[in-house]
Amino acid sequence: MGTEGGVVRDYRTANGENPAHEGRQSDNRAAPRSTHPGSRPRNHPPESNHRPSPARSAPRLGPATTLGTAALLSAVALMATSGYLISYASEMPPVLYLMMAVTAVRAFGIGRSVFRYAERLVSHDAVLRTLGTIRTAVYARLEQLAPAGLPAFRRGDLLSRLVADVDAVQDHYLRWRLPASIAAAVSVVSAVGLGLFLPAAGAVLAVGLLLAGAVVPAVAARLSGRTERRQAPARGELANTVVDTFTGTAELTVAGALPRRLAAVRAADADLTALAGRSAATTALGAGLVALLTGLTVTAAAAAGLRGVASGALAPVCLAVVVLTPLAAFEAVAGMPLAVQARERSRAARARLADVLEAPLPVAEPAAPVPLPAEPLPIAVRGLSARYPGGERDALSDVSLTLSAGRRIAVVGPSGSGKSTLALTLLRFLDRTAGTVTLADGCPQAVDSARASSDDVRRVIGLCAQDAHVFDSSLRENLRLARPGATDEELRAALASARLLDWADTLPAGLDTMVGEHGGRLSGGQRQRLALARALLADFPVLVLDEPAEHLDLPTADALTADLLAATAGRTTLLITHRLAGLAAPGAVDEILVLDRGRVVERGGWADLTADPGSRLHAMWQREQEADGLLLLDAR
């Protein structure tokens, strides 16, 4: 449940509705947008400013490349100078003749460690800052997409994108771009430097480094490119099956479907393990080829050095330099086969992140939002139509109603008739394709909700959904999501309105009682009453109750509906339900709208509609009574 303007807003979980097809199961959890009067306001700029990409968030790796190159060149120089020093010392010259070489060895040894540490520090700082930006951008986009724009993504897969794929972008910089830049610089300098001693040895080293740093990685990319690109989707599939299995274990066990679901988890794990195995085989092949090229290059350089010594082109004391320099220089290209594999993995991860960052928004924010009137009622809905992204037809078509002060309207109909779509459209979680929603209708300051910020609209219209989220915290903190500064008296008044105060008073810890993860220590009815108390504490001008008694047994559902209607007396309320029993009481609601396939097929009062044998509501009421009678017989 998110908070907005000091109010509570519930969001859909895996066991809730798929907004595109009401009544069907959805495996998405829509993330909330939230602001509060006492907190920093959050502005949503136009969509064009909310489409950041990993490419545009690339870190500046110039300093890290310079430091990394210096570290590796220090290692190469250390090896070459050490060889020269040992060879020269074997001739037993005066000690002073060796001092420059000794000092150089010390300097290069210290420099290698210092430069390497600095390179790690600078590169990780730059990359981690970029990752923070990318992860924030992805979360912000998910927040904008929720809930209507998320059905295309699955919960576990979204988690994998937000965590594993963002981390994989790190590999693009730290394991591909940075090593490749350093390898290129070190290879050129090492080959040129060795060529100054002996051109033939420099040419041999250049060829060896080119083969190990370019050809072998190209072969590795050719062999494992498809495998590496499949790892990110496979990881997402595994995460999705694991999350679905954990969150639905109880239901799967009751339905006898848990073994089949566990088999799906094992199959997804086997697929990812197979891909990792093929990737490891390619890594091993690349490492072996680089080791082979290292040995061949050193041997060829040694042969060139011996010929140079024999011809007098190379001083004998420098032969060790020619032999040992390639050993150190190949350190720069040893990781290149692994680097190209990281590049392929990161490309797939970047593409998956782009799917989220470039997903079309279900709601277009106005470029210059207008403020809402101080008194937003009445709210007039005229000819409202809406369609989900990618939908072929409107999920809601030509719906009209008026929400005046204190008026209560019930919206009923079968699953998939557009009831929750109406709620999402009113709260601007989904853009309308036609019609108007006018706040302060008939007043000089009347405003169409499409011209206002969606956050402002949700300060006026609040939602208490069927799957209200309860956080693993205390009763007090769950209630204070609606109004952080609420006093204990206000919290107790909200609980009393939701018929939950007597129960709370029996708890040893009172309002400080922990409710458990997802409210696991509460019954279904208590969770819904807690959500209602939170919504009442928020004090919405208009409260939308979306299937509040769903997933409850009939007696509990009917009692909860009656209490909801009693608690919202005098408050402008839109009750969305498929259960009719709670509407039969005199004065329960002022008007009933019957939806079917997104259209209003009937409207009127309870008595008038149920008295007409040909009405849809009359038929629905009869079917519900017959079904309740059968359930009572079975219970006996």
Side-chain angles (χ1 to χ4, degrees):
M1 177 175 294
T3 63
E4 176 116 11
V7 299
V8 175
R9 187 172 69 251
D10 303 319
Y11 58 91
R12 304 182 186 283
T13 64
N15 298 325
E17 288 184 340
N18 182 336
H21 304 283
E22 293 182 24
R24 297 184 184 179
Q25 290 297 316
S26 168
D27 59 357
N28 295 301
R29 183 185 300 275
R33 300 181 180 87
S34 65
T35 56
H36 185 271
S39 64
R40 183 174 54 191
R42 292 171 39 181
N43 299 319
H44 297 289
E47 181 179 348
S48 60
N49 295 333
H50 265 265
R51 301 171 80 99
S53 70
R56 281 180 280 178
S57 302
R60 296 180 179 180
L61 296 178
T65 301
T66 301
L67 291 169
T69 301
L72 276 179
L73 287 178
S74 295
V76 174
L78 176 63
M79 182 71 79
T81 306
S82 299
Y84 172 79
L85 177 61
I86 294 173
S87 298
Y88 194 23
S90 67
E91 296 179 355
M92 302 182 66
V95 174
L96 291 178
Y97 290 7
L98 302 176
M99 290 305 297
M100 181 175 291
V102 170
T103 303
V105 167
R106 290 175 178 175
F108 290 135
I110 295 173
R112 179 181 63 174
S113 300
V114 171
F115 287 135
R116 177 62 67 197
Y117 177 81
E119 178 264 324
R120 290 286 191 267
L121 193 64
V122 172
S123 63
H124 281 76
D125 177 71
V127 170
L128 291 177
R129 288 179 186 273
T130 299
L131 290 188
T133 302
I134 295 174
R135 185 168 278 120
T136 301
V138 173
Y139 187 87
R141 194 65 174 186
L142 292 177
E143 184 193 24
Q144 291 177 298
L145 290 172
L150 289 182
F153 303 100
R154 296 171 297 175
R155 286 182 306 158
D157 186 55
L158 274 178
L159 178 63
S160 179
R161 291 174 195 252
L162 184 60
V163 179
D165 289 347
V166 173
D167 288 342
V169 173
Q170 170 182 275
D171 293 343
H172 179 79
Y173 302 113
L174 290 180
R175 298 188 180 183
W176 161 243
R177 279 186 53 187
L178 184 61
S181 301
I182 294 174
V186 171
S187 297
V188 171
V189 174
S190 298
V192 171
L194 188 59
L196 295 178
F197 280 90
L198 187 65
V204 168
L205 179 58
V207 172
L209 291 174
L210 180 64
L211 291 175
V215 177
V216 173
V219 172
R222 179 72 175 178
L223 293 177
S224 67
R226 185 169 178 269
T227 297
E228 302 298 338
R229 289 190 293 271
R230 288 175 56 194
Q231 284 198 45
R235 189 177 295 108
E237 178 63 26
L238 176 61
N240 186 66
T241 54
V242 169
V243 168
D244 283 351
T245 301
F246 273 117
T247 56
T249 299
E251 292 81 358
L252 291 169
T253 302
V254 171
L258 186 58
R260 186 167 63 251
R261 174 58 62 176
L262 291 175
V265 172
R266 286 191 290 269
D269 179 67
D271 290 341
L272 183 58
T273 301
L275 292 174
R278 288 197 287 271
S279 176
T282 303
T283 301
L285 176 62
L289 290 175
V290 170
L292 176 62
L293 287 171
T294 301
L296 293 175
T297 302
V298 171
T299 302
L306 290 174
R307 286 195 298 271
V309 171
S311 64
L314 180 69
V317 75
C318 293
L319 179 61
V321 175
V322 172
V323 175
L324 295 179
T325 297
L327 282 175
F330 266 83
E331 181 183 349
V333 297
M336 288 306 298
L338 191 60
V340 296
Q341 292 179 268
R343 180 193 65 188
E344 297 302 319
R345 285 194 300 270
S346 66
R347 282 179 176 175
R350 288 156 68 92
R352 282 164 51 81
L353 291 178
D355 290 342
V356 176
L357 292 172
E358 298 176 5
L361 294 178
V363 176
E365 293 290 340
V370 299
L372 294 182
E375 178 51 57
L377 298 177
I379 298 176
V381 180
R382 299 291 180 262
L384 188 64
S385 300
R387 178 179 301 185
Y388 288 95
E392 298 179 355
R393 65 177 182 86
D394 287 343
L396 196 68
S397 180
D398 196 26
V399 174
S400 298
L401 56 93
T402 300
L403 293 166
S404 55
R407 184 174 178 80
R408 299 200 291 187
I409 298 177
V411 180
V412 301
S415 296
S417 60
K419 303 187 300 296
S420 291
T421 303
L422 173 61
L424 293 178
T425 309
L426 288 178
L427 275 89
R428 293 213 63 209
F429 284 131
L430 180 67
D431 262 344
R432 54 182 183 262
T433 56
T436 60
V437 179
T438 306
L439 286 77
D441 182 53
C443 301
Q445 66 271 30
V447 173
D448 191 302
S449 66
R451 298 173 55 206
S453 164
S454 59
D455 284 343
D456 288 342
V457 172
R458 287 189 286 276
R459 290 188 179 97
V460 173
I461 306 174
L463 173 66
C464 181
Q466 59 180 303
D467 45 16
H469 189 79
V470 177
F471 290 91
D472 187 5
S473 186
S474 65
L475 286 172
R476 184 192 311 277
E477 295 307 318
N478 270 281
L479 287 171
R480 279 183 171 169
L481 286 171
R483 192 187 304 170
T487 64
D488 282 1
E489 289 73 18
E490 291 171 327
L491 299 182
R492 291 176 61 82
L495 289 173
S497 298
R499 305 288 177 90
L500 205 58
L501 182 59
D502 291 342
W503 167 78
D505 285 339
T506 65
L507 300 173
L511 294 178
D512 294 318
T513 300
M514 301 300 291
V515 299
E517 186 177 4
H518 300 295
R521 297 178 183 176
L522 308 179
S523 67
Q526 288 170 339
R527 282 194 297 272
Q528 289 301 116
R529 291 176 189 274
L530 179 59
L532 175 62
R534 200 159 43 182
L536 295 175
L537 184 64
D539 196 23
F540 291 109
V542 178
L543 181 59
V544 179
L545 304 174
D546 186 5
E547 300 283 7
E550 187 73 2
H551 310 307
L552 302 178
D553 59 88
L554 295 183
T556 303
D558 292 342
L560 176 62
T561 301
D563 289 342
L564 288 174
L565 293 173
T568 56
R571 183 188 298 268
T572 305
T573 306
L574 183 68
L575 174 62
I576 295 172
T577 181
H578 68 272
R579 177 89 181 147
L580 304 180
L583 308 179
V589 294
D590 298 301
E591 185 181 18
I592 297 175
L593 272 63
V594 181
L595 290 185
D596 189 21
R597 297 186 178 181
R599 293 181 177 272
V600 178
V601 294
E602 281 181 358
R603 66 192 316 153
W606 172 267
D608 294 336
L609 293 177
T610 54
D612 182 4
S615 72
R616 296 281 189 95
L617 189 66
H618 178 83
M620 293 168 60
W621 178 231
Q622 280 194 324
R623 287 196 298 269
E624 182 174 303
Q625 288 180 311
E626 292 171 359
D628 290 352
L630 291 175
L631 289 175
L632 289 175
L633 289 175
D634 290 342
R636 293 174 183 173

